[in-house]
Amino acid sequence: MIKKFEEIIQTAQVKGPKTIAVAVAQDLEVLLAVRNAKDLLHLKLDCRFI
């Protein structure tokens, strides 16, 4: 079980790319969190609006 934020980062870097869905993506805090994760983990974003 992951208990620390650093463990999330390590796990994501080891396991490689995953697909996620973001609910309530119109909220600024959510968009900033996604962008920060992208920058931190060097992710590629594929944005789809439905």
Side-chain angles (χ1 to χ4, degrees), residues 31-46:
L31 294 173
L32 290 174
V34 170
R35 185 182 71 186
N36 289 340
K38 174 194 160 290
D39 294 342
L40 181 64
L41 299 172
H42 308 291
L43 303 175
K44 180 183 122 189
L45 294 181
D46 179 11

Side-chain angles (χ1 to χ4, degrees), residues 2-37:
I2 295 174
K3 296 184 179 184
K4 297 180 181 178
F5 185 72
E6 292 80 17
E7 294 174 10
I8 295 172
I9 303 301
Q10 291 171 348
T11 301
Q13 289 172 334
V14 169
K15 292 195 175 208
K18 300 291 179 201
T19 300
I20 64 166
V22 178
V24 195
Q26 71 270 18
D27 288 351
L28 179 60
E29 293 83 6
V30 173
L31 294 173
L32 290 174
V34 170
R35 185 182 71 186
N36 289 340

